Amino acid sequence: MSLVLIVFPALSVTAQLLVFASAMMSAIGLGLLAQRRGGRLVAARPINQELSGLIGQTLQVTSAFEAGRGRVADTTYAALCERQLRSGEQVIVRGIEGGRLRVEPKANPVRDTPP
């Protein structure tokens, strides 16, 4: 607007408002056009997918269960396992079933005993 007023110093307030409104609408139109032509597609991410981020992580069993709860940091999650687990046991998250984590016991490393 300052450039328009430098060129046309006697412009009325009504004319100034019209110039401003048309400049604003043009800027919005150009912005939308540039956004469409940018070709950047935003991938739609499913919401509330916190559990899928836990797949492959190790959890600690908070209480003995076949269907119970496992702890990650300061949060516990509902979990399922094929066999009974003991409290404190380490498990690995293998998938999600019905809003629960499907876990399996973490394999204990084989210990070599001297002969």
Side-chain angles (χ1 to χ4, degrees), residues 9-57:
L11 205 59
S12 70
V13 173
T14 305
Q16 290 178 33
L17 290 174
L18 287 173
V19 169
F20 175 75
S22 62
M24 183 179 62
M25 296 303 284
S26 298
I28 290 172
L30 289 173
L32 291 174
L33 182 64
Q35 186 178 10
R36 281 192 189 155
R37 291 191 179 218
R40 220 178 88 183
L41 297 175
V42 177
R45 285 183 17 207
I47 59 172
N48 295 331
Q49 295 298 312
E50 177 184 358
L51 293 180
S52 59
L54 295 174
I55 295 175
Q57 290 193 21

Side-chain angles (χ1 to χ4, degrees), residues 98-114:
R100 292 184 179 181
L101 301 175
R102 171 58 69 183
V103 298
E104 65 182 39
K106 187 172 182 179
N108 293 331
V110 176
R111 297 182 190 203
D112 292 331
T113 54

Side-chain angles (χ1 to χ4, degrees), residues 54-112:
L54 295 174
I55 295 175
Q57 290 193 21
T58 300
L59 283 75
Q60 182 176 7
V61 176
T62 58
S63 59
F65 72 89
E66 281 181 31
R69 300 192 73 77
R71 176 178 297 282
V72 176
D74 63 346
T75 307
T76 61
Y77 296 92
L80 299 166
C81 187
E82 296 295 320
R83 70 167 182 83
Q84 185 73 22
L85 297 170
R86 296 181 315 273
S87 179
E89 193 171 351
Q90 299 287 313
V91 293
I92 298 174
V93 179
R94 295 298 183 198
I96 311 296
E97 264 184 46
R100 292 184 179 181
L101 301 175
R102 171 58 69 183
V103 298
E104 65 182 39
K106 187 172 182 179
N108 293 331
V110 176
R111 297 182 190 203
D112 292 331

